[in-house]
Amino acid sequence: MIDFANLASEFGTPLYVYDATEVRRRIHLARAVFEGLDAHIFFAVKANTNPALLSLIKMEGVGADVVGPGELEAAVRAQIRDLLLNGNGKTPAIAGAFVDAGGSYVSMDTPDELSLWHDFPVKRLLRVNPNIVAGGHKHIATGGNVHKFGVAPERIPEAIGYLDGLHVHIGSQILDPEPFREAYTAGVNLAQSYKLKLLDIGGGWGIRYGHDERDLDLDEFRERVVLPVLRPFDGTLLVELGRWIIASAGSLLLQVISVKKSGKTFVVVDAGMNALIRPALYDAWHDVEPIRPRGPRCLCDVVGPVCETGDVLAHDRELALPDPGDILRIANTGAYGFSMASNYNGTMRPAEVLVDGANTTLIRRRETLDDFFATCSTQFRTSHATQRNDSDSHSSGEPHESN
Ligand code: LLP
């Protein structure tokens, strides 16, 4: 059992806490699904970019699926060599960095991307869009033909001489095996008809956030999808899992600033959509509980300190009414929590700690004002007379100190 109270007092809040045991458990469960198949698991780094977590994941023999340069660098710092590059807006810069890092698999979003990869010794996959819509929210469904990702299967011939495989990823937070079955059936058929030996089946495995949900049932997934559809595929499978591996391992600890009664009861905590944007962006549910429940149960909104009406972490939630100073734990926040956090309202992003049995490590210190301003300058060039400093020593066009 993790002692959240102790962690909050030692490291302060807002604080992300990750449980290494849960990460390992999840990876083992995922691996068991593909037992007997030639399948290669990658962690979708977009879910969590902390290099220490990537090191942990690497120790379990999992590679890294990266998109941006920071994700790539995080994987490199964790000494992951088994790399897969994704994304629908790749630049020559990211292509070069990926090759320099020794990356081997590239999912091209369109045949036009071939020009980026002609000279590089990578395995090229083409992302095809099977026109299947699935996923926990319209913003995270990707497999419809109106979504921006991939191309219709009719475009495979444009790239065929240069292709090693295909990629099918239809969305995220999918709890039902059926859309996977349909998408992979299409993917396997296409790969076989073009004699391609690599199939990237993406990620998207859903987890239980609310009480009325349950994790994607992996026994059912193996029975209905893996054994009948994927096992007959004569080639290598690539799998890109983000949420499944890291979501349930993460908790966000927040401190109650005030409890206010107006039209509703508001529990105001020390971070909201700036630390965890999922509820505001997707109406996502996260369980919230005081780590030491004691007050009477009461219906309330748990809200952050950010100047947005949408800065709500939990709507109309019944919880043991906390007092100012109490600590709340927001559950299942390991995926798309810190990685989507912002500095909105000039707030500093949370610290992160990793708990591995009896050991706790601060794996990202809290941001400081110096971090926040590290990329800024108060100097600027101006031709506007009123922006000039009082001294005549500067002519227009010279850098000036602004007020
Ligand atoms: N592969 C590709 C090509 C992806 O675009 C994604 C996620 C994954 C794999 C990993 O999906 P996962 O296993 O984590 O479902 N911010 C949203 C989720 C966006 C997912 C984007 N792509 C959220 O907080 O729910």
Side-chain angles (χ1 to χ4, degrees), residues 44 46 65 127 140 169 172 204 240 242-243 278 282 336 340:
K46 56 177 78 78
D65 149 25
R127 184 157 173 184
I140 57 175
H169 170 81
S172 196
E240 308 165 340
R243 189 187 318 268
R278 302 193 70 257
Y282 313 118
Y336 309 108
M340 296 178 80

Side-chain angles (χ1 to χ4, degrees), residues 231-276:
R231 192 166 57 179
F233 174 62
D234 175 24
T236 301
L237 297 171
L238 311 181
V239 190
E240 308 165 340
L241 295 176
R243 189 187 318 268
W244 176 268
I245 290 176
I246 201 76
S248 58
S251 299
L252 174 60
L253 303 184
L254 300 169
Q255 186 168 41
V256 177
I257 304 285
S258 67
V259 177
K260 181 173 83 173
K261 293 201 167 86
S262 56
K264 298 178 112 171
T265 301
F266 293 101
V267 174
V268 184
V269 288
D270 58 356
M273 64 191 289
N274 47 341
L276 177 69

Side-chain angles (χ1 to χ4, degrees), residues 112-258:
D112 301 342
E113 219 186 273
L114 275 173
S115 58
L116 267 186
W117 300 107
H118 269 319
D119 299 332
F120 292 137
V122 291
K123 301 253 186 245
R124 304 178 190 92
L125 294 94
L126 180 64
R127 184 157 173 184
V128 288
N129 193 320
N131 199 16
I132 291 167
V133 178
H137 185 275
K138 69 180 163 64
H139 290 173
I140 57 175
T142 58
N145 65 5
V146 293
H147 299 134
K148 70 172 184 170
F149 299 104
V151 291
E154 292 72 43
R155 294 197 59 189
I156 296 172
E158 290 175 44
I160 194 64
Y162 306 94
L163 276 190
D164 300 281
L166 299 178
H167 178 199
V168 182
H169 170 81
I170 52 172
S172 196
Q173 183 53 16
I174 302 170
L175 296 165
D176 176 8
E178 185 55 25
F180 290 116
R181 204 185 54 76
E182 289 173 31
Y184 299 165
T185 302
V188 166
N189 289 341
L190 286 166
Q192 279 171 346
S193 68
Y194 286 103
K195 301 194 169 28
L196 297 170
K197 296 283 188 191
L198 270 179
L199 181 64
D200 181 342
I201 61 170
W205 299 8
I207 67 136
R208 172 188 178 280
Y209 282 105
H211 297 282
D212 54 345
E213 284 175 334
R214 51 177 201 161
D215 287 352
L216 172 72
D217 183 331
L218 292 190
D219 292 335
E220 193 186 349
F221 184 77
R222 184 165 161 92
E223 284 304 310
R224 282 182 51 199
V225 183
V226 176
L227 297 181
V229 180
L230 297 176
R231 192 166 57 179
F233 174 62
D234 175 24
T236 301
L237 297 171
L238 311 181
V239 190
E240 308 165 340
L241 295 176
R243 189 187 318 268
W244 176 268
I245 290 176
I246 201 76
S248 58
S251 299
L252 174 60
L253 303 184
L254 300 169
Q255 186 168 41
V256 177
I257 304 285
S258 67

